[in-house]
Every structure is written in C-alpha cells, then in structure tokens.
Amino acid sequence: MGKTLRDHLFDTIRELGKSGLKTFKDKLNNFQPKEGYNPIRWGELENADAVEITRLLVSYYKEDYAVEVAGKVLEDMDEKKLAHNLFQATGKAGVADPTLGKHKPGLSSDEDSDLLRRLQALKDDSNVTEPQNDVMAPALETPQ
C-alpha cells in the first residue's frame, strides 16, 4: 500500500526538526486560510508534535487543502525544497522548483523577464545615470 497524503504531510513536518517545528507552528498560527476555513488555534499548536500538527492540519483543512497550507507555510519559512518535495510526492501543484528561488512567487519567468525589461525602460527614459566612482570617494589630501 502506498503512502497517503497524510503520511507525506507527516513525513515532511517531521523533517523540520525541533527548531523548524517551532517556526512552522508560529507561521501556521498566523496563516490566514481561504474562506470557509478557520485558523488553527495557538492553544492546540503550542505543545503539538509532528503527529499532532498533522492531525490538526487534516482535521481543520481536510487532506488536500492541508497539503496546500503546509506547503505555503514551508515556503514562507524559506523551506522551499521541503515544500517542493511535499507537492511533488502528493501530486499537488503549488510550489515552484526550489532552484528558482530568485523569482518572486506568483510570477512566471516570462512575467519576471517582462518586469525587468519595463524597469530598464523606465531607467532609460528617466535619464538616470550611474554615480561616478570619483564622486563617491572623498578626496584624499596628502600632507606636505
């Protein structure tokens, strides 16, 4: 029998370790779920371990949305690789390839390139010049 979404969720949360788990709980506590769902109360999260957090995620959000929530929280923690692995293991979409961390979330590489082109055009249109090195450095006086 293969792993369930809940199994993958638990495995991912367990990989965070003690410090990461503490951060995950804090970020999850501040996570604003989509309409129709309630945030998990801090009183339930505060002393929860990986097993309990998994149970809370599934009971509050059901398995599919629980995976999405966990992935977003992981991404917010800059745990993009763990989030990517979770989405890949569960067949859910949501997190970009972790090697593309330089792009703003939500923009495709084409949109990102277009944004850079437009910013360059604004710079060119405004006649902005780069500072000259000699202007930036203070004049050095030599004693005589």
Side-chain angles (χ1 to χ4, degrees):
M1 184 168 94
K3 286 188 172 187
T4 65
L5 291 178
R6 186 182 190 125
D7 294 333
H8 289 295
L9 195 55
F10 169 71
D11 290 345
T12 302
I13 294 169
R14 188 181 57 187
E15 283 187 52
L16 288 170
K18 190 174 183 176
S19 175
L21 193 61
K22 184 175 182 179
T23 304
F24 185 88
K25 290 190 286 188
D26 182 60
K27 298 275 186 192
L28 182 58
N29 180 59
N30 293 307
F31 180 80
Q32 291 299 313
K34 64 186 179 182
E35 192 174 327
Y37 294 93
N38 295 314
I40 300 174
R41 294 184 301 267
W42 179 247
E44 293 181 274
L45 283 172
E46 188 173 15
N47 297 313
D49 61 6
V51 172
E52 184 64 15
I53 291 170
T54 302
R55 188 195 66 75
L56 287 167
L57 281 165
V58 171
S59 67
Y60 270 75
Y61 306 126
K62 307 296 178 228
E63 286 186 353
D64 284 336
Y65 187 48
V67 169
E68 184 181 330
V69 168
K72 288 179 180 179
V73 170
L74 289 165
E75 193 172 46
D76 193 37
M77 294 171 57
D78 204 28
E79 289 284 354
K80 290 174 179 44
K81 185 175 181 179
L82 271 179
H84 174 75
N85 292 344
L86 173 62
F87 281 113
Q88 192 172 39
T90 59
K92 303 292 176 195
V95 175
D97 185 334
T99 61
L100 302 177
K102 296 177 185 171
H103 296 291
K104 183 178 178 184
L107 292 181
S108 70
S109 57
D110 288 342
E111 291 170 318
D112 199 24
S113 296
D114 182 56
L115 181 60
L116 288 173
R117 277 194 302 277
R118 288 189 287 154
L119 287 172
Q120 184 62 46
L122 283 172
K123 179 181 169 189
D124 293 344
D125 288 346
S126 65
N127 295 321
V128 174
T129 58
E130 297 295 323
Q132 301 298 316
N133 287 340
D134 58 333
V135 174
M136 299 301 284
L140 297 176
E141 294 183 27
T142 53
Q144 295 184 349

